């Protein structure tokens, strides 16, 4: 079982990063000398991913202008449009017609170091013959993550952005996933949640409840969700202080 395809959801509005995102997609905001989404593309290439699907919204032409065909990164990029903002699960489902087999998902506005994180997740996913594997870490703010309950490394429950008093742990999903194609059927079986959006966390819960093997792997290193101006500054400060030129 090889993983040669990746999917990068990049259709979100980035409202917490306004007014910057009134003019530029949040995935194109710089971390160091590169747009944050470029770091994600490089991590996928390092992990052996050859084909990458980038899911964008109708107004995000700047992402394809920036990344182009993917040739300069050593990958082939395909762009898919999520017509309506119906949530992360719907964004993943938008790419079903160009996904053929096992694939990884990394959110396009997340910064990770070192970039070897993805290859390690893939190797673990393959070795465990899992239906889904989530990258996870201990998180300070449970209200920004899907919070995991597990027995060993097998996930028994996951709740999207719970209030602190309702969180079963501080182990949070951090926007990195390895999936088998069964996730698409789980998404189709997912009911809409807040604001009518389809949450990927709820689709993963569908997999769990149907008896599929859903694991997590703790990700070492630094993970920064570049979702607010404070996070953007933090990512850049960390990059220039510890990462140098990458």
């Amino acid at each position: 079982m090889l993983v040669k395809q990746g999917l990068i959801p990049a259709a979100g509005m980035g409202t917490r990063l306004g007014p910057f995102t009134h003019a530029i997609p949040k995935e194109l905001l710089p971390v160091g000398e590169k747009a944050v989404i470029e770091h994600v593309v490089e991590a996928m290439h390092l992990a052996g991913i050859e084909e990458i699907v980038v899911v964008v919204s109708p107004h995000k032409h700047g992402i394809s202008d920036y990344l182009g065909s993917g040739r300069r990164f050593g990958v082939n990029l395909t762009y898919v449009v999520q017509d309506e903002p119906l949530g992360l699960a719907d964004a993943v489902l938008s790419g079903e017609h160009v996904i053929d087999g096992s694939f990884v998902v990394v959110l396009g506005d997340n910064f990770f170091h070192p970039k070897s994180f993805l290859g390690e997740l893939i190797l673990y996913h393959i070795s465990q013959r899992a239906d889904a594997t989530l990258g996870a870490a201990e998180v300070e703010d449970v209200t920004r993550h899907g919070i995991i309950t597990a027995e060993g490394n097998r996930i028994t429950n996951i709740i999207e952005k719970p209030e602190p008093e309702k969180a079963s742990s501080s182990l949070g999903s951090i926007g990195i996933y390895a999936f088998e194609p069964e996730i698409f059927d789980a998404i189709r079986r997912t009911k809409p949640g807040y604001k009518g959006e389809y949450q990927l966390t709820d689709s993963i819960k569908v997999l769990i409840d149907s008896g599929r093997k859903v694991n997590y792997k703790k990700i070492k290193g630094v993970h920064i969700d570049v979702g607010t101006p404070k996070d953007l500054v933090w990512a850049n400060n960390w990059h220039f202080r510890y990462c140098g030129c990458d």
Side-chain angles (χ1 to χ4, degrees):
M1 181 170 58
L2 299 176
V3 181
K4 292 296 184 182
Q5 289 184 295
L7 185 146
I8 303 175
M13 298 299 292
T15 53
R16 292 179 299 165
L17 276 162
F20 305 113
T21 48
H22 296 166
I24 183 173
K26 62 179 177 177
E27 295 84 3
L28 295 184
L29 292 171
V31 175
E33 302 85 358
K34 305 169 184 176
V36 62
I37 195 172
E38 185 175 343
H39 291 284
V40 176
V41 171
E42 288 180 344
M44 286 192 173
H45 179 243
L46 182 64
I49 302 297
E50 299 172 349
E51 303 282 340
I52 300 175
V53 180
V54 183
V55 181
V56 298
S57 57
H59 67 283
K60 283 192 168 181
H61 306 291
I63 292 177
S64 58
D65 290 342
Y66 181 91
L67 294 175
S69 68
R71 182 180 301 175
R72 66 190 173 102
F73 308 112
V75 299
N76 294 317
L77 296 179
T78 299
Y79 298 91
V80 172
V81 176
Q82 183 187 24
D83 293 320
E84 300 179 68
L86 293 178
L88 180 56
D90 183 73
V92 172
L93 187 62
S94 297
E96 180 182 17
H97 65 290
V98 287
I99 294 292
D100 180 22
S102 309
F103 68 106
V104 297
V105 174
V106 182
L107 303 187
D109 57 353
N110 278 218
F111 173 73
F112 298 91
H113 184 84
K115 289 188 172 77
S116 56
F117 72 91
L118 189 56
E120 294 168 1
L121 182 78
I122 290 171
L123 288 175
Y124 181 74
H125 176 75
I126 292 172
S127 70
Q128 295 297 307
R129 298 184 178 273
D131 295 295
T133 304
L134 282 60
E138 298 293 333
V139 298
E140 293 184 4
D141 186 357
V142 297
T143 66
R144 292 182 62 177
H145 300 269
I147 297 302
I148 292 168
T149 304
E151 294 178 359
N153 280 79
R154 185 155 181 172
I155 300 174
T156 58
N157 196 20
I158 184 168
I159 300 175
E160 178 69 8
K161 299 176 182 178
E163 294 300 320
E165 63 273 12
K166 295 182 180 180
S168 61
S169 72
S170 58
L171 184 63
S173 174
I174 56 173
I176 317 164
Y177 313 86
F179 288 123
E180 298 306 308
E182 285 77 11
I183 188 62
F184 295 123
D185 181 60
I187 293 172
R188 281 188 285 270
R189 293 162 56 197
T190 301
K191 296 179 180 179
Y194 182 62
K195 293 184 178 180
E197 294 185 355
Y198 295 84
Q199 300 296 334
L200 190 56
T201 298
D202 293 337
S203 301
I204 292 167
K205 183 71 162 55
V206 170
L207 283 180
I208 295 167
D209 292 345
S210 62
R212 295 287 185 173
K213 188 175 184 180
V214 179
N215 287 354
Y216 79 89
K217 184 181 189 321
K218 281 195 173 182
I219 300 300
K220 300 175 183 178
V222 172
H223 159 246
I224 302 173
D225 173 3
V226 185
T228 67
K230 182 179 178 180
D231 295 324
L232 181 62
V233 171
W234 176 26
N236 275 282
N237 285 344
W238 192 94
H239 182 278
F240 284 116
R241 183 171 182 179
Y242 297 108
C243 230
C245 293
D246 202 35

